[in-house]
Amino acid sequence: MFELANVARPGVSEYISGSGALSALDNRLEGFKTPLIVTGEKSYAAFTKFYKGNREFRVAKYDGSASFEDMQRIADEYGEGVDVVLGVGGGRVIDTAKGVAQNLNVEYMTVPTVIATCAPYAPVAAVYHPDHTFREVAYFKRTAYACVADLDLLLESPKEYFVAGIGDTLAKWYEAVVLVERNNKFNDPFVRMGLEAAKITRDVLLRDANGALEAMEKGEVTESFKNAVDTVFAISGCVGCFGVHYGRMAGAHAVHNGMSLVKETHSVLHGTKVSYGILVQLLAEGKREEVEKLVPFYKANDLAYNLACVNVTEDVEEKMQKIAEFAASEKETFKLAFDVCTPEVVVAAMKELEELTK
């Protein structure tokens, strides 16, 4: 009952967001002697461009998988004497850093270099097999010592990651509300706190996403940009931290996980696939009107509103079936949103979406 997956937890100890926020990093590293950066090639280049501090770092490059195997490899090869791990990058890098820190039993900090998921804030990770197929969600003992979100750095990050972040974050509301409704948890104060955070994520993004993406194109840090960044990282992270499993995954993420079995979707970002999953879940719930309201927003912001958006254009029915069978399986979370969840229910929703968005 009291496993980490079932316990309400705070997010990061400190969330630092603003232009030039990396100037605060050296101060947060005081007292730590041997910091290890876990990162990727592009992420590290972005970090070194904007970090102007005086600390020296041991640097480990992850293998792109966010697998338990790579977490252990980095801990074994780079971990001797390390007392804090810095995850510098996107979701898979940061999730890898969390696992390295757990293996070394040390603190970790996060420095996001893309605006893609709540990974910099939440003490959980999407873990994959070495071949990049989905394995499980892992829960870590520690929350982040600090998250440093430098808006100047993030302003230069790839726009497609921000678009994916918007999609992943929108799912917080659509998945959380169905879980809370089905389990009648509105009176639980922690669950209610997580659900209110989910509602804020939806409201802020529907209001500010367009302006935030325009700010990125213009290279300007604006109020809309900061609002959207903080929502993708921190407010969305609060949903699962306080709502626990009532604020986590339902149909949208189950569809994403099913897509890991379809090779051509592997190059599509996590949140983009999740955005597609939102629409499938809503149609399976019978909420076509909500989908019709969302589709124009999706089209305006490059979110995935049909299978062609996630590169599935050949043998479509066969791949629908493969995705649906995984999403509706007993080990997945689509079933949490429905009394009866079968592959046929999911396939029917996918087909309805194809027709609706022709």
Side-chain angles (χ1 to χ4, degrees):
M1 180 180 180
F2 296 109
E3 295 178 355
L4 283 177
N6 304 319
V7 176
R9 308 170 72 191
V12 300
S13 296
E14 295 182 53
Y15 178 75
I16 303 160
S17 167
S19 294
L22 273 175
S23 63
L25 184 59
D26 281 8
N27 177 265
R28 269 61 190 181
L29 285 168
E30 284 184 8
F32 295 107
K33 295 180 179 178
T34 313
L36 167 67
I37 285 179
V38 175
T39 190
E41 295 291 342
K42 293 179 180 178
S43 301
Y44 190 59
F47 173 79
T48 55
K49 178 178 178 179
F50 287 91
Y51 173 69
K52 306 301 179 186
N54 299 312
R55 295 299 298 262
E56 293 186 358
F57 302 97
R58 193 177 298 177
V59 179
K61 302 292 175 63
Y62 88 129
D63 71 359
S65 68
S67 63
F68 287 133
E69 290 83 354
D70 199 42
M71 296 169 193
Q72 190 61 56
R73 174 189 68 82
I74 293 172
D76 291 342
E77 292 182 15
Y78 297 90
E80 185 176 353
V82 165
D83 54 2
V84 63
V85 176
L86 277 72
V88 175
R92 291 199 186 205
V93 167
I94 288 173
D95 285 350
T96 300
K98 295 170 191 176
V100 174
Q102 176 143 306
N103 290 344
L104 296 175
N105 197 26
V106 299
E107 301 285 357
Y108 74 91
M109 300 184 194
T110 64
V111 180
T113 61
V114 293
I115 316 159
T117 70
C118 65
Y121 189 91
V124 302
V127 179
Y128 294 78
H129 294 287
D131 66 359
H132 294 219
T133 56
F134 180 75
R135 178 169 179 169
E136 65 184 77
V137 174
Y139 300 86
F140 297 113
K141 305 190 282 192
R142 286 182 167 85
T143 58
Y145 188 87
C147 170
V148 181
D150 191 307
L151 298 183
D152 298 325
L153 184 162
L154 293 166
L155 198 65
E156 294 189 7
S157 66
K159 180 183 175 182
E160 60 267 27
Y161 282 90
F162 195 10
V163 169
I166 291 165
D168 192 47
T169 304
L170 274 179
K172 299 292 184 179
W173 167 254
Y174 293 104
E175 293 188 297
V177 70
V178 71
L179 294 175
V180 175
E181 285 175 349
R182 280 182 52 75
N183 292 280
N184 194 25
K185 285 290 181 178
F186 286 102
N187 291 330
D188 184 310
F190 277 106
V191 173
R192 184 63 182 271
M193 190 169 178
L195 186 62
E196 290 300 319
K199 187 173 184 295
I200 291 169
T201 63
R202 181 199 65 182
D203 293 347
V204 170
L205 291 179
L206 291 179
R207 183 193 70 203
D208 287 339
N210 287 338
L213 291 168
E214 288 174 3
M216 179 175 261
E217 289 174 356
K218 294 177 181 177
E220 298 174 357
V221 173
T222 64
E223 182 179 3
S224 291
F225 183 73
K226 187 178 190 305
N227 289 346
V229 169
D230 293 344
T231 297
V232 170
F233 291 153
I235 308 304
S236 69
C238 289
V239 179
C241 283
F242 292 103
V244 194
H245 45 275
Y246 302 109
R248 292 183 182 143
M249 292 156 288
H253 276 81
V255 172
H256 161 276
N257 295 344
M259 285 186 190
S260 70
L261 302 179
V262 179
K263 188 175 181 180
E264 54 261 57
T265 71
H266 289 182
S267 62
V268 180
L269 295 173
H270 172 93
T272 303
K273 289 183 279 193
V274 170
S275 70
Y276 170 82
I278 294 171
L279 303 183
V280 174
Q281 177 189 308
L282 287 172
L283 288 173
E285 292 180 74
K287 297 179 178 176
R288 184 184 176 98
E289 187 175 336
E290 185 70 19
V291 172
E292 290 172 343
K293 290 178 183 177
L294 284 174
V295 167
F297 177 82
Y298 271 50
K299 290 183 176 180
N301 293 288
D302 297 323
L303 296 171
Y305 52 86
N306 60 25
L307 284 169
C309 294
V310 293
N311 298 335
V312 179
T313 57
E314 297 179 356
D315 302 319
V316 173
E317 292 209 9
E318 175 190 333
K319 287 161 186 173
M320 277 186 185
Q321 190 67 33
K322 186 179 287 190
I323 293 166
E325 286 178 359
F326 190 96
S329 66
E330 275 304 306
K331 68 177 184 178
E332 265 304 327
T333 54
F334 209 103
K335 66 181 184 293
L336 300 179
F338 300 90
D339 292 323
V340 178
C341 179
T342 64
E344 289 73 24
V345 168
V346 182
V347 167
M350 294 170 79
K351 288 183 175 179
E352 184 178 357
L353 184 56
E354 294 299 306
E355 286 296 317
L356 191 155
T357 57
K358 273 185 176 178

